[in-house]
Amino acid sequence: MPPEPSAAVSGLVLAAGAGRRFGGPKALARTAAGTPWLVLGVRSLLEGGCRDVTVVLGAAADEATALVPAGVSVVRAEDWATGVAASLRGGLRSLAEGDAVAALVLPVDTPDVVPAAVARVRRRATPDALAQATYDGAPGHPVLLGREHWAPLSAAVRGDVGARPYLIAREAELVECGDLWSGADRDERA
């Protein structure tokens, strides 16, 4: 049984990149059985207790929008080609219009993430929280960003560097999830 959804936490799937190493936009990627990775990310966030989910698109946004489940918000990062920072900023800016106290961030290239890992990190949610899942000590996703960090983080990220330097500098809580799944992202096609 999934945990009770938190009225305070919104999920954020980052899926705007061109996927150059992957060979195309990961927002269009599917499992061998044909399930879109976007659907898997959204499902894991919701089943892990997020109240709602927003997907950030860029490359192939028109095609990818058709894969986003009903009821899920879509934000287009018009400057997506400048790097992951643009996706993160666009997503957090969109969430700032709501009342969530924290965001759980998940890149689309983690289709194997399990809801239990999402729930474990989500439980740390407060407006000033910073937490990152780790897998046998290695940093991974999801990442929890308390609302108080959204503006300073958005100002700090640049290009293809995401939140990691910010999380390190502010000593984000590390939440071990290696007992739940591998934490692997997919940068190349299988």
Side-chain angles (χ1 to χ4, degrees):
M1 177 175 225
E4 284 296 312
S6 170
V9 180
S10 291
L12 188 60
V13 177
L14 303 181
R20 285 180 284 280
R21 287 180 292 175
F22 187 72
K26 294 178 187 176
L28 301 178
R30 295 175 182 263
T31 65
T35 306
W37 286 6
L38 281 172
V39 169
L40 296 175
V42 167
R43 184 181 304 153
S44 289
L45 287 168
L46 291 173
E47 290 178 6
C50 290
R51 168 190 60 187
D52 53 57
V53 176
T54 296
V55 173
V56 183
L57 298 175
D62 291 336
E63 294 169 77
T65 298
L67 303 177
V68 176
V72 172
S73 298
V74 173
V75 173
R76 289 185 184 223
E78 299 302 331
D79 55 344
W80 63 267
T82 64
V84 69
S87 300
L88 185 56
R89 277 194 305 272
L92 292 175
R93 188 172 37 250
S94 174
L95 293 183
E97 296 172 10
D99 63 354
V101 300
L104 253 174
V105 181
L106 189 66
V108 72
D109 66 359
T110 55
D112 301 317
V113 67
V114 294
V118 172
R120 188 175 286 175
V121 176
R122 182 191 55 80
R123 284 193 282 274
R124 273 73 177 171
T126 62
D128 64 345
L130 282 177
Q132 180 170 30
T134 60
Y135 299 90
D136 296 324
H141 289 89
V143 171
L144 180 80
L145 305 172
R147 189 180 191 98
E148 292 176 11
H149 293 281
W150 296 356
L153 175 61
S154 292
V157 295
R158 297 275 183 274
D160 250 346
V161 179
R164 185 84 180 118
Y166 186 92
L167 296 170
I168 291 169
R170 283 149 189 87
E171 298 180 350
E173 179 183 1
L174 302 178
V175 182
E176 182 57 48
C177 295
D179 59 316
L180 301 173
W181 77 294
S182 71
D185 63 358
R186 297 195 195 176
D187 287 329
E188 297 176 2
R189 291 190 191 273

